[in-house]
Amino acid sequence: MCGIVGYMGSSGVASILLSGLKCLEYRGYDSAGIAYINNGKLNVTKSAGKLENLEKLLTADRQSSLAFSGIGHTRWATHGVPNDLNAHPHLNADSSIAIVHNGIIENYAMLKEELESEGYKFNSDTDTEVIVHLLTKEYKKTNSILKAITNSVKKLVGSYALGIISSYQKDTIFAVNHHYSLTLGQGDNEFYLASDIVAVRQYTNKILRLEQSEIAEITQNQVRLYDFNGHETMREFITVDSDPYLINKDGYKHFLLKEIHEQPTILRQTIGKYMVHPNAKINFNQNNEPLTNAHTQEKSAGVHLSKNDIMGIENILIIACGTAYHAGMIGKYYLEQLCNVPVNVEIASEVRGRNLLVNEKSLVIAVSQSGETADTIAALSEAKRKGAYTLGITNRADSHLSRISSNLIITECGVEVSVAATKTYIAQVVSFLLFALYLAEERGSLTTSYINNLKLELHSLPALVETVLANETYIKEASIKYADAQDMVFIGRGINYPTALEGALKLKELSYIHASGYAAGELKHGPIAVLDSLVPVVTILMPGSVYDKTLSNAQEARARNAQMIAVACSDDEKAHKYFDTVLEVPPVDELLSPILAVIPLQLFSYFISDYLGKDVDQPRNLAKSVTVE
Ligand code: M6R
């Protein structure tokens, strides 16, 4: 949440900072700004709204292209509305120090009161502004920016990352990391700074990640690192040999549509990686890679549980947020069904402040596309403290989650640019299925023939997803008929209850139409009161153990004149008889049905959103990486 960039070198700073901010816009797009030094003077240019607003200002600001050092920020508002005043960078009174900030300063109210009583004037509603005044106060005492930083961080409570620039030390920018993420990149007599390696990798493959409580003093020729006591620490830049994270739309109108279409390939890669052949055992450590690649500092995927560990697991807890939580709900179903082990699934933010009942016999699985979600990280850290086995499922090998998980499944979807998660969701779901099959094989909880049949079905799944995508034109026409709805209800049972929740979440996020997902059996316990002829009800009606009951629940909605939409199999005659619109998927085993059923729902939300002219890839108020609790 929020993105920081920085540059110190000999090229024009504005375009470099802007290009970095473009890579980080997924972290928030409420406002953006930069601070730079030119002719010894510190300047700030910032604007509420998307990056294009800042870009316009900078085009008119010739000074910024002549400067060689600066910091920049893209904001997701926490304290204070998204306006120009609350936009970063924040400046002190005499324009000598400017800062950009990610994270939250938990004790900012107390610090603000203290600073105000000493005469410091605040111009914004942000928690950030206390830092710039604190730095100013400490600079006055010490005459050193570094000392001002080490003195100030001792007073700040919370997790945060900072970029700092000052006219007192014109040839330097500073970076501060405290339980956040900041990466430095080294070029030829130049250094880059960013919250995400993606923004640095466009310029260089020599990188250095800041440790959890670390300060970097960056000049054109060198970077010096310090701990929070001001003691210098030594670390080298490392060469990352993986490809740069390429980000382009490949001719699609939106990243979201491109990412929806990448799903068959991702399924093929993920299934093929861990299950080389339908008759082979599932293997998460096929290359015997070391858990952490010393070269790249990235953690390799791997499950390092011994047979004894696996046999000893008495319960599993899955923690996640948003779409990843829905994947976790399906994971619970797989693990209980296939491995006979009790599983709880919790929204990560709801775990905080509770007595987390896990121990050495528990496996805690944290699921997060970004691997940076603050609530998920905090819950996993607590589980680790209590001695549980940990497994991370994430799309980012270089993330915080990867670093703290003892076992790791990387979903390897490539960067997911669109804020609404699609391809990472199906990769998480299929990872859960593969992991459940792996545990089932190790624990002997299923017959070999059952496992082999399921593996065969799994092998043919990517082709079935392609069949659904081939029906895109029909789905588009069918979807936009419902674009004027004010409310929609999604219902599903059993393994497709999470599909209903995910369908509703996608519609809300992308189209801003209010939508709720319910367990189909719950409809009559209250939600049915909202139904009338204006409310479309989307039923996930997949063949299997709960088909008849789901159909009965849908009939209850039909009897209230609701507009009836089904996600159902192409050969389902009842669906075609009782529903106004059928979004078809091919017949498939019930266990695999959530992976197919979600595809038409993703397209449904996409087409409605695009038809309504919404900002598909960057819906209002959201951010891709939610790094505040
Ligand atoms: O990076 P994470 O998977 O931990 O993010 C969790 C949620 O913030 C995320 O899934 C969010 O709900 C998406 N916008 C859903 O499309």
Side-chain angles (χ1 to χ4, degrees):
M1 216 144 232
C2 300
I4 286 177
V5 291
Y7 176 72
M8 169 56 73
S10 51
S11 303
V13 82
S15 61
I16 290 176
L17 294 181
L18 265 178
S19 166
L21 289 175
K22 274 185 191 147
C23 296
L24 300 185
E25 220 184 353
Y26 72 87
R27 298 172 75 95
Y29 30 85
D30 287 334
S31 63
I34 68 166
Y36 58 91
I37 300 223
N38 190 30
N39 285 333
K41 206 173 150 280
L42 182 53
N43 301 284
V44 167
T45 306
K46 57 185 182 175
S47 168
K50 290 198 148 187
L51 203 50
E52 61 206 40
N53 296 354
L54 174 68
E55 206 167 354
K56 279 183 204 143
L57 292 179
L58 290 177
T59 314
D61 171 13
R62 241 180 66 76
Q63 297 286 316
S64 63
S65 57
L66 300 173
F68 302 135
S69 62
I71 52 176
H73 189 263
T74 180
R75 177 170 187 246
W76 186 84
T78 58
H79 296 65
V81 297
N83 61 16
D84 286 356
L85 278 181
N86 291 329
H88 300 214
H90 288 279
L91 259 179
N92 63 353
D94 64 1
S95 299
S96 57
I97 302 176
I99 68 153
V100 290
H101 163 222
N102 287 0
I104 287 182
I105 305 304
E106 290 168 14
N107 59 338
Y108 87 98
M110 186 209 58
L111 291 172
K112 185 171 179 176
E113 212 172 292
E114 204 174 292
L115 288 160
E116 277 179 327
S117 72
E118 292 167 22
Y120 288 91
K121 294 257 176 312
F122 282 73
N123 298 311
S124 76
D125 302 318
T126 63
D127 53 337
T128 305
E129 206 185 335
V130 296
I131 309 171
V132 78
H133 296 311
L134 201 54
L135 286 169
T136 309
K137 176 176 155 178
E138 294 301 330
Y139 181 82
K140 281 181 191 158
K141 288 192 216 158
T142 59
N143 249 342
S144 147
I145 295 290
L146 182 63
K147 283 194 186 129
I149 293 172
T150 50
N151 287 354
S152 299
V153 292
K154 293 196 176 72
K155 297 186 176 145
L156 302 176
V157 177
S159 310
Y160 53 84
L162 306 172
I164 301 167
I165 189 165
S166 170
S167 54
Y168 294 128
Q169 200 170 327
K170 299 177 188 65
D171 57 350
T172 311
I173 60 170
F174 289 88
V176 181
N177 188 43
H178 188 51
H179 300 290
Y180 242 73
S181 271
L182 276 180
T183 299
L184 299 176
Q186 182 179 30
D188 288 338
N189 283 328
E190 58 188 355
F191 290 98
Y192 304 87
L193 166 72
S195 309
D196 187 327
I197 188 175
V198 174
V200 167
R201 281 290 283 116
Q202 58 181 324
Y203 295 112
T204 175
N205 63 352
K206 287 190 185 146
I207 63 144
L208 188 151
R209 289 200 179 81
L210 290 192
E211 291 293 347
Q212 286 316 304
S213 296
E214 197 164 46
I215 300 162
E217 187 181 30
I218 306 157
T219 58
Q220 200 184 334
N221 303 318
Q222 64 169 356
V223 170
R224 297 177 76 174
L225 302 172
Y226 303 91
D227 66 19
F228 274 13
N229 291 317
H231 300 135
E232 191 162 357
T233 55
M234 295 295 175
R235 274 200 335 284
E236 297 292 314
F237 278 76
I238 51 157
T239 305
V240 181
D241 41 16
S242 58
D243 285 338
Y245 299 83
L246 290 177
I247 298 177
N248 64 62
K249 287 190 193 149
D250 269 353
Y252 285 95
K253 187 173 178 191
H254 295 103
F255 281 109
L256 185 78
L257 191 58
K258 176 190 169 214
E259 286 159 6
I260 290 173
H261 277 269
E262 283 171 356
Q263 294 180 114
T265 308
I266 286 161
L267 283 173
R268 267 191 197 100
Q269 277 168 1
T270 311
I271 296 166
K273 180 165 182 196
Y274 301 122
M275 187 177 84
V276 282
H277 188 273
N279 292 332
K281 274 188 104 177
I282 291 177
N283 183 355
F284 285 99
N285 306 317
Q286 57 279 71
N287 300 330
N288 283 329
E289 292 166 355
L291 190 56
T292 302
N293 182 331
H295 195 44
T296 63
Q297 285 182 352
E298 289 185 0
K299 225 172 174 183
S300 312
V303 174
H304 308 276
L305 299 167
S306 68
K307 178 112 185 162
N308 264 352
D309 295 336
I310 289 175
M311 297 309 288
I313 291 171
E314 289 178 354
N315 53 66
I316 297 178
L317 172 67
I318 300 170
I319 43 180
C321 304
T323 288
Y325 171 72
H326 300 151
M329 289 175 78
I330 298 173
K332 168 185 162 80
Y333 196 98
Y334 288 149
L335 289 161
E336 287 187 345
Q337 200 77 359
L338 303 180
C339 312
N340 247 329
V341 58
V343 182
N344 267 321
V345 54
E346 297 266 11
I347 293 173
S349 56
E350 285 299 308
V351 169
R352 304 310 305 283
R354 268 176 41 201
N355 183 12
L356 189 59
L357 293 178
V358 296
N359 56 33
E360 300 77 15
K361 303 255 178 225
S362 311
L363 168 65
V364 176
I365 307 178
V367 197
S368 170
Q369 175 281 129
S370 62
E372 301 291 347
T373 299
D375 287 313
T376 308
I377 302 288
L380 187 69
S381 307
E382 174 66 0
K384 236 183 139 169
R385 209 180 52 76
K386 295 209 160 175
Y389 298 108
T390 57
L391 167 65
I393 301 181
T394 179
N395 199 39
R396 295 295 296 265
D398 57 343
S399 64
H400 197 157
L401 181 70
S402 297
R403 289 197 290 279
I404 63 170
S405 304
S406 309
N407 301 281
L408 196 59
I409 299 177
I410 305 292
T411 49
E412 290 181 15
C413 299
V415 177
E416 189 176 59
V417 177
S418 176
V419 168
T422 52
K423 61 178 181 176
T424 52
Y425 173 70
I426 57 123
Q428 288 162 356
V429 174
V430 85
S431 298
F432 265 117
L433 179 54
L434 289 162
F435 182 66
L437 281 168
Y438 166 76
L439 281 197
E441 284 181 329
E442 294 291 317
R443 286 166 79 103
S445 54
L446 294 172
T447 64
T448 312
S449 68
Y450 180 93
I451 292 186
N452 286 348
N453 281 339
L454 193 56
K455 284 180 174 173
L456 264 180
E457 288 255 1
L458 192 52
H459 228 67
S460 53
L461 187 65
L464 300 184
V465 174
E466 274 161 355
T467 317
V468 183
L469 292 172
N471 205 16
E472 185 178 281
T473 312
Y474 168 78
I475 297 174
K476 179 177 179 177
E477 282 162 17
S479 308
I480 57 182
K481 283 194 286 192
Y482 299 96
D484 59 355
Q486 298 293 304
D487 293 291
M488 269 196 226
V489 168
F490 289 68
I491 57 171
R493 266 183 182 254
I495 197 167
N496 278 304
Y497 165 43
T499 311
L501 296 180
E502 177 58 11
L505 178 61
K506 283 288 94 79
L507 186 69
K508 274 184 282 210
E509 278 187 297
L510 291 169
S511 70
Y512 318 154
I513 294 172
H514 174 254
S516 297
Y518 298 104
E522 276 290 295
L523 199 60
K524 55 188 168 296
H525 295 286
I528 201 164
V530 305
L531 298 190
D532 61 23
S533 62
L534 297 177
V535 180
V537 174
V538 182
T539 306
I540 323 302
L541 188 66
M542 299 301 290
S545 54
V546 292
Y547 176 88
D548 288 333
K549 286 194 167 41
T550 311
L551 184 58
S552 302
N553 298 139
Q555 296 286 19
E556 295 157 10
R558 190 163 176 260
R560 272 79 188 175
N561 293 321
Q563 300 171 42
M564 301 293 288
I565 306 166
V567 176
C569 283
S570 32
D571 59 359
D572 185 336
E573 288 174 12
K574 288 183 190 156
H576 286 96
K577 182 169 170 197
Y578 295 123
F579 290 80
D580 306 314
T581 298
V582 179
L583 305 175
E584 292 182 355
V585 299
V588 70
D589 187 287
E590 187 175 14
L591 283 180
L592 305 185
S593 64
I595 300 170
L596 272 194
V598 78
I599 309 289
L601 296 178
Q602 294 169 343
L603 289 169
F604 180 79
S605 300
Y606 167 71
F607 286 122
I608 291 181
S609 167
D610 189 36
Y611 177 78
L612 293 174
K614 304 298 185 208
D615 193 342
V616 170
D617 286 326
Q618 293 181 335
R620 69 182 181 198
N621 303 338
L622 299 182
K624 183 83 184 153
S625 179
V626 184
T627 51
V628 292
E629 290 175 32

